[in-house]
Amino acid sequence: IQVAEQMSDFLLLGGVTNAVNMPSLSAEEAPRLRPYMALAEKLGKLVGQILGEDVRAVAVEVEGAAAQLNQKPITGAVLAGLMGTYSQTVNMVNAPFLARERGLDVREVRHDREGDYHTLVALEATTSKGVRRVAGTLFGNSGPRLVEMFGVEVEAELAGPMIYIVNTDTPGFIGKLGTALGEAGINIATFNLGRRAAGGEAVALVAIDEEVPEAVVKQLCALPGVREVVPLHF
């Protein structure tokens, strides 16, 4: 959110010309775009932290009310979030340049169709294993929420320290996960779960009160049915 606020303030004051040809924002545009930029930044961070160096190209999609807005700042916020996972010196101005230096192909897609949400921002990342997609919307036109993650419907607020877990959907897993975190002294703030089908692949986004140590990550990886564990921070 901080990057999004800085970006909208900066563009309102004067604007920049960069790799995505981001224009200046008018006084009318800035407040409307700010929550979208906050959402876009979080989606970029999410993809960067999970997929890491394997991202080869990105497509930023807008749908519904988002499709009526200036898309360039939204794309810039996605890149700021994404590139921030690779570089400690990323900011609202140099993120597009860093993306270009990494050889990332950046595309913008605008959909006029009506979807399940009144407004939607999506990020498709091309990797060596195919295309991975995340999408988010705004609740109350201001609260960023994740609604889709790699083909699984999951509703979550992306904030603070979190854990991303991919596991086989089996009875008792949530209890085992909670027990493991509790024994490590880590309190669960919220638990968000989605799955492709009963008994298939499930995705969990767990918000916690403190960063998870590497030793605990290894313990979680050892739980039956767990396929992937990634600590996140927003």
Side-chain angles (χ1 to χ4, degrees):
I1 295 178
Q2 182 179 5
V3 171
E5 291 178 345
Q6 291 175 343
M7 187 180 295
S8 62
D9 290 343
F10 180 84
L11 294 175
L12 179 59
L13 289 173
V16 295
T17 301
N18 54 36
V20 292
N21 299 318
M22 187 181 297
S24 301
L25 298 184
S26 67
E28 180 181 354
E29 286 181 309
R32 295 178 59 200
L33 275 164
R34 182 167 295 185
Y36 285 96
M37 293 163 68
L39 170 62
E41 180 194 356
K42 288 177 180 290
L43 294 179
K45 282 186 176 181
L46 179 64
V47 167
Q49 290 178 89
I50 295 176
L51 301 182
E53 301 286 338
D54 197 28
V55 177
R56 314 285 180 81
V58 296
V60 181
E61 302 181 6
V62 291
E63 181 179 310
Q68 309 306 314
L69 301 175
N70 181 349
Q71 189 174 351
K72 294 299 182 182
I74 296 174
T75 299
V78 165
L79 294 177
L82 177 66
M83 300 311 298
T85 62
Y86 307 139
S87 171
Q88 297 296 320
T89 59
V90 68
N91 57 48
M92 57 192 174
V93 178
N94 66 15
F97 292 103
L98 293 175
R100 184 174 61 184
E101 287 179 354
R102 291 181 63 87
L104 290 183
D105 176 36
V106 180
R107 295 188 299 114
E108 293 180 332
V109 181
R110 187 184 303 270
H111 297 293
D112 294 328
R113 67 193 180 204
E114 293 186 4
D116 295 332
Y117 298 91
H118 79 285
T119 190
L120 193 78
V121 176
L123 169 58
E124 285 193 351
T126 301
T127 72
S128 61
K129 298 179 181 179
V131 177
R132 310 289 296 278
R133 186 177 191 267
V134 299
T137 189
L138 296 179
F139 282 7
N141 293 320
S142 61
R145 292 292 189 278
L146 177 73
V147 294
E148 179 189 339
M149 187 171 186
F150 305 151
V152 177
E153 292 184 3
V154 54
E155 182 183 310
E157 179 182 4
L158 301 177
M162 304 185 77
I163 309 172
Y164 165 71
I165 301 174
V166 180
N167 64 281
T168 302
D169 180 38
T170 56
F173 174 77
I174 295 177
K176 294 175 183 177
L177 174 60
T179 297
L181 291 174
E183 291 177 347
I186 298 175
N187 188 52
I188 295 177
T190 62
F191 190 98
N192 307 278
L193 182 68
R195 64 183 185 180
R196 299 184 190 280
E201 184 179 271
V203 171
L205 277 172
V206 186
I208 51 180
D209 289 343
E210 58 191 77
E211 302 289 345
V212 57
E214 181 61 31
V216 177
V217 173
K218 292 181 179 179
Q219 292 176 8
L220 298 180
C221 289
L223 291 176
V226 170
R227 304 179 186 179
E228 185 178 6
V229 178
V230 181
L232 305 173
H233 190 86
F234 298 94

